[in-house]
Amino acid sequence: MTRVPPSVAARTATPADADAIVSTLTSAFFHDPLWGPAFPDERRRAAQAAVMWRRYVTSALRYPWTLVTPGAEAAAVWIPPGGTELTPEEEAGLPDLLTRAAGADAARDILAIYGQLDAAHPTEPCFFLTLLGVHDEHRGKGLGMGLLAESLARIDALGAPAYLESSNPANIDRYRGAGFVPRDTITIATGHVVTTMWRPARTVGDL
């Protein structure tokens, strides 16, 4: 049974929100079991990871599918069907960007992770939840799942499916509650397992 999350005010993000979104995602993923260890030096992790999140956030903002709470305490970054996380130019520059931010070893490992994630991406057109995060200072208020619910309501109105990659196994049941089902697993070099999840398109009768 799909759980009903709390209602959350949401709006479409603009480029003016980029700094706040990057701050939220840097906080949200600092201890993530996949993306935390990708930046091994905890003293420098926030600054290094923020460089990567900024590249993905600013690129995604070219689509009207990044939703945030009023103060960007939570952010849901979606890539619409037919879209890409990065432009070809941004993709080509990613290795140098990561190397400058975190060093050659971390850049190599992060690019390997992205390569595995990309290889598992469905070929069917879908909305892709590339990032969903809540700032540490605002956790426990239902903002993340509320923002996800608002996102999915908009996607359901278009009759489209949705896809995500759960880097944290603690979130799998939450995503199940929103109608996602596990699709596949990806084991990265460290042994950590990422679960990909799929939510079929909803028809009028399902809404």
Side-chain angles (χ1 to χ4, degrees), residues 27-102:
S27 171
F29 286 94
F30 190 90
H31 294 294
D32 183 81
L34 174 65
W35 293 116
F39 299 93
D41 185 348
E42 287 198 24
R43 297 169 301 173
R44 302 177 62 201
R45 179 181 295 170
Q48 293 173 344
V51 173
M52 182 176 77
W53 298 136
R54 183 171 297 279
R55 171 59 56 93
Y56 280 89
V57 166
T58 56
S59 187
L61 285 170
R62 71 191 192 275
Y63 305 116
W65 277 99
T66 294
L67 300 185
V68 293
T69 51
E73 302 89 349
V77 182
W78 291 89
I79 305 298
T84 59
E85 289 185 276
L86 301 176
T87 66
E89 295 77 16
E90 290 166 340
E91 187 79 37
L94 188 61
D96 285 345
L97 179 80
L98 292 172
T99 298
R100 291 195 303 270

Side-chain angles (χ1 to χ4, degrees), residues 141-189:
K141 302 176 183 178
L143 298 181
M145 289 300 102
L147 196 57
L148 177 62
E150 174 60 27
S151 302
L152 292 173
R154 300 184 187 197
I155 291 170
D156 287 344
L158 301 175
Y163 173 78
L164 61 81
E165 301 147 348
S166 180
S167 59
N168 190 338
N171 292 329
I172 291 175
D173 283 345
R174 296 188 180 101
Y175 291 133
R176 283 183 186 271
F180 286 88
V181 295
R183 175 186 174 100
D184 201 357
T185 57
I186 303 165
T187 303
I188 68 167

